[in-house]
């Protein structure tokens, strides 16, 4: 039978305590990036991820039969916003108004709505007041799915526009 000296027991306890502290620090660090339900980190130059739940509330007259079938349907997107470029009118200031950037999106969209988004799943965004405007088809003039999301989190809205005008819209809710 082996006897342990008080020093050996202390060393073993210290190693266990350090391992436990490292594990807690790792958990805290990973939770810290997911606890914020807002997009305000973009104003501080940080990447932001936002989960958007949306519903097709309204189909307008020019929407057609294909869109009319979507009324009441829900869809979910995950948007990952890149921080604004370090150059431009708002660079180096606390002012967020007018900041712009790009984002990536993923999720299950109804086919008629998917056709109104960029094939490479990229989006453009711009901050306007307390809202971030997200264009999911930024290089197109027709067939655009656009979202208006509050920077501080909460309820927003989306719309699908074509050359005929707005053809569908709905509400969004979001968070991490």
């Amino acid at each position: 039978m082996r006897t342990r000296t008080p020093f050996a027991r202390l060393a073993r306890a210290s190693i266990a305590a350090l391992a436990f502290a490292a594990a807690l620090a790792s958990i805290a660090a990973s939770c810290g990036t997911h606890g914020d339900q807002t997009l305000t980190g973009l104003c501080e130059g940080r990447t932001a991820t936002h989960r958007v739940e949306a519903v097709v509330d309204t189909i307008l007259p020019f929407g057609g039969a294909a869109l009319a079938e979507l009324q009441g349907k829900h869809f979910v997107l995950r948007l990952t916003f890149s921080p604004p470029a370090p150059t431009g009118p708002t660079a180096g200031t606390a002012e967020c108004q007018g900041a712009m950037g790009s984002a990536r999106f993923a999720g299950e969209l109804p086919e008629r709505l998917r056709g109104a988004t960029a094939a490479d799943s990229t989006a453009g965004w711009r901050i306007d007041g307390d809202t971030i405007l997200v264009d999911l088809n930024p290089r197109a003039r027709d067939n655009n799915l656009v979202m208006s999301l509050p920077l501080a989190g909460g309820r927003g809205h989306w719309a699908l526009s074509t050359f005929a005008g707005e053809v569908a819209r709905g509400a969004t809710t979001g968070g991490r």
Side-chain angles (χ1 to χ4, degrees):
M1 184 162 147
R2 223 163 113 175
T3 59
R4 300 207 190 271
T5 65
F7 179 73
R9 276 185 249 142
L10 180 61
R12 182 169 295 222
S14 295
I15 291 170
L18 284 174
F20 182 71
L24 283 179
S26 174
I27 290 169
S30 68
C31 290
T33 61
H34 299 293
D36 190 2
Q37 296 291 315
T38 70
L39 294 167
T40 55
L42 288 170
C43 296
E44 298 162 4
R46 295 191 321 253
T47 299
T49 301
H50 200 69
R51 182 177 187 268
V52 176
E53 296 180 32
V55 64
V56 181
D57 291 332
T58 306
I59 305 299
L60 298 157
F62 295 116
L67 277 176
E69 293 175 8
L70 296 179
Q71 189 150 358
K73 300 280 187 202
H74 292 260
F75 60 94
V76 177
L77 291 177
R78 174 147 317 269
L79 300 163
T80 304
F81 297 88
S82 298
T87 60
T90 60
T93 69
E95 177 65 34
C96 199
Q97 177 66 27
M100 301 168 71
S102 63
R104 306 258 327 139
F105 62 90
E108 295 297 321
L109 284 167
E111 188 55 40
R112 177 64 177 92
L113 297 180
R114 180 66 181 144
T117 64
D120 62 356
S121 299
T122 59
W125 62 265
R126 176 176 53 89
I127 294 176
D128 185 17
D130 62 354
T131 302
I132 185 166
L133 303 172
V134 185
D135 184 351
L136 299 177
N137 203 5
R139 292 175 292 282
R141 291 180 177 221
D142 183 32
N143 220 17
N144 295 90
L145 185 61
V146 177
M147 295 185 166
S148 177
L149 308 171
L151 279 173
R155 198 169 163 86
H157 63 272
W158 67 271
L160 173 63
S161 296
T162 66
F163 282 138
E166 187 176 291
V167 295
R169 64 178 169 238
T172 67
T173 56
R176 293 266 168 192

